[in-house]
Amino acid sequence: MPSTIRAKQREETRSALLRESRRLFAAKGYGAVGLSEIVAATGVTKGALYHNFAGKAELFRAVLEQVQHEVGEEVAAAADPRADPWTQLVVGCEAFLTTCTDPDIQRIMLIDGPAVLGWHEWRAMDEAASARHLGEALTLLVDEGVLAPQPIEPLTHLLSGAMNEAALWLAITDDPNALSDTTAALRRLLEAMRASVA
């Protein structure tokens, strides 16, 4: 069998494993899903799973990376068409919160992510994904004088932490006004930062 066919089959198997495990993790949670269930849903052997992933935790990590990437794409799709960097920041932050109200994203990214991978690894993944883009946006706003000159790293961590905490709260609250109240509070917080420019 030519190597290109094998590579294509391996990629198809990997995609199927990611798709089915994501569906199961979102529906049941990481702890309630076994490898046997994943391979049965995918229609592959455990050997094929282990050929692609070292185990369930590595498979979950790949699913989480996929989810984080999709959240980042949603944020970019909302923010990038905006003309000015300030509006991009505000709209991007709101899009993050709105996207995180999806129950599948909540379960994988916000609830199981830190529990399965541990806080430090989960934070490192978050920092490499959305926090990096947030830091870039804040740097541009400081450079353009929209925000007062200040160290970007602590500001990025503060805003990222606030939004992650808000997203976690949105995942568990029954308040029907939670999203609109949270985005309104976020706008007030961001406007207060902007108003601090002398």
Side-chain angles (χ1 to χ4, degrees), residues 125-147:
M125 290 177 69
D126 181 62
E127 200 167 319
S130 59
R132 179 175 55 85
H133 296 296
L134 179 59
E136 291 168 357
L138 293 170
T139 298
L140 180 60
L141 290 168
V142 168
D143 289 347
E144 292 191 354
V146 178
L147 295 177

Side-chain angles (χ1 to χ4, degrees), residues 9-81:
Q9 287 176 335
R10 183 174 183 206
E11 185 52 42
E12 288 172 356
T13 299
R14 181 180 172 82
S15 295
L17 285 164
L18 285 169
R19 182 180 60 251
E20 291 303 318
S21 59
R22 177 176 175 166
R23 181 182 63 78
L24 291 166
F25 291 149
K28 298 181 171 191
Y30 177 85
V33 177
L35 287 179
S36 298
E37 188 174 7
I38 293 170
V39 296
T42 308
V44 301
T45 64
K46 277 193 181 179
L49 185 147
Y50 285 118
H51 187 68
N52 287 276
F53 301 98
K56 188 168 99 167
E58 186 179 310
L59 179 55
F60 178 81
R61 188 183 201 286
V63 167
L64 176 57
E65 284 177 339
Q66 187 181 67
V67 169
Q68 286 181 320
H69 178 74
E70 289 172 13
V71 170
E73 286 181 336
E74 290 285 330
V75 169
D80 288 351

Side-chain angles (χ1 to χ4, degrees), residues 134-143 147-159 193 196:
L134 179 59
E136 291 168 357
L138 293 170
T139 298
L140 180 60
L141 290 168
V142 168
D143 289 347
L147 295 177
Q150 59 191 292
I152 297 299
E153 192 169 354
L155 181 60
T156 301
H157 282 278
L158 283 167
L159 283 178
M193 289 171 38
S196 69

Side-chain angles (χ1 to χ4, degrees), residues 115-198:
V116 173
L117 300 178
W119 178 251
H120 292 296
E121 185 175 356
W122 181 83
R123 275 300 296 138
M125 290 177 69
D126 181 62
E127 200 167 319
S130 59
R132 179 175 55 85
H133 296 296
L134 179 59
E136 291 168 357
L138 293 170
T139 298
L140 180 60
L141 290 168
V142 168
D143 289 347
E144 292 191 354
V146 178
L147 295 177
Q150 59 191 292
I152 297 299
E153 192 169 354
L155 181 60
T156 301
H157 282 278
L158 283 167
L159 283 178
S160 178
M163 286 189 294
N164 283 333
E165 184 60 31
L168 285 167
W169 177 70
L170 288 169
I172 61 168
T173 186
D174 293 329
D175 182 351
N177 299 318
L179 181 59
S180 60
D181 289 348
T182 302
T183 54
L186 175 66
R187 278 184 175 265
R188 287 191 297 272
L189 178 70
L190 293 173
E191 282 297 332
M193 289 171 38
R194 187 181 191 188
S196 69
V197 179

